[in-house]
Amino acid sequence: NLAIEKYSAITQPSDETIYNLGIAHYRNGDLQQAANQFRMVIGSQNDSVAARARFNLGNAFYSQALTKLTPPATDAATPAAQPPTDTTPAKPSASQAPSASQDVKAGMKLLRSAITQYRSALRIDADDTDARANIELAQTLIDEIEQQQQEQDQEQQDQQQQDQQQM
């Protein structure tokens, strides 16, 4: 990616340049590298850079959570998901129920980290409506996953009780 090459070539990058490098990595789908760049400038003296870095660090966490929580596509005709933009992240559909317990735990932790970063961005820019909307999206997803887990636990308990009664 040309933008990544150009930004990386700067020997003493400003906070704005580091932030822009994070955006370039984010748009390129390298969420971990994007998060690393955003972390470098979340404490910037430039409030605008600090708020945007925190917001987009939240988006990187949210996107990483979706990767953990969304099962791989089984249909070869399904197009690959595009890397998220630096705006409101997408939410997986209800049919994309997470299955692996470790991935669910990791995804939930990332969603909570995303919320923390969105709230941090709001402390700098209280008028950031995207940060508010993303907090709601992440919390709604957490609530849905917890509800699914409770339902699965109840189904398992019911099945175990039926199995014991049949013995």
Side-chain angles (χ1 to χ4, degrees):
N1 185 321
L2 184 59
I4 292 172
E5 286 179 34
K6 295 279 186 189
Y7 288 128
S8 296
I10 299 171
T11 54
Q12 291 186 335
S14 67
D15 287 352
E16 185 78 31
T17 301
I18 294 168
Y19 169 80
N20 288 336
L21 181 57
I23 290 295
H25 281 295
Y26 188 88
R27 288 182 176 160
N28 205 36
D30 188 350
L31 299 175
Q32 189 59 50
Q33 190 59 36
N36 291 341
Q37 298 300 313
F38 295 140
R39 278 188 192 99
M40 291 172 67
V41 293
I42 60 175
S44 175
Q45 296 298 312
N46 179 333
D47 282 351
S48 174
V49 170
R52 289 181 291 146
R54 293 169 191 204
F55 174 83
N56 283 298
L57 180 56
N59 280 353
F61 288 152
Y62 189 101
S63 296
Q64 289 173 327
L66 293 184
T67 301
K68 297 279 187 197
L69 297 169
T70 305
T74 54
D75 183 359
T78 304
Q82 294 296 314
T85 63
D86 59 340
T87 58
T88 306
K91 185 174 103 173
S93 68
S95 65
Q96 297 173 319
S99 57
S101 178
Q102 285 184 326
D103 283 347
V104 171
K105 288 178 184 174
M108 296 281 277
K109 183 176 181 180
L110 285 163
L111 287 171
R112 288 184 179 98
S113 294
I115 290 172
T116 298
Q117 291 306 316
Y118 295 139
R119 286 182 177 150
S120 183
L122 283 172
R123 283 194 288 278
I124 297 172
D125 179 5
D127 296 328
D128 188 341
T129 56
D130 287 335
R132 290 184 194 288
N134 288 3
I135 289 169
E136 289 180 30
L137 280 174
Q139 188 59 56
T140 298
L141 186 52
I142 288 170
D143 294 345
E144 288 173 3
I145 292 167
E146 287 174 343
Q147 178 67 33
Q148 281 180 338
Q149 287 179 321
Q150 287 175 354
E151 289 172 3
Q152 288 172 352
D153 290 347
Q154 186 61 48
E155 287 174 14
Q156 278 184 329
Q157 287 177 358
D158 291 349
Q159 185 62 45
Q160 287 173 350
Q161 286 177 350
Q162 281 182 343
D163 291 348
Q164 287 176 352
Q165 289 174 354
Q166 292 175 356
M167 289 184 158

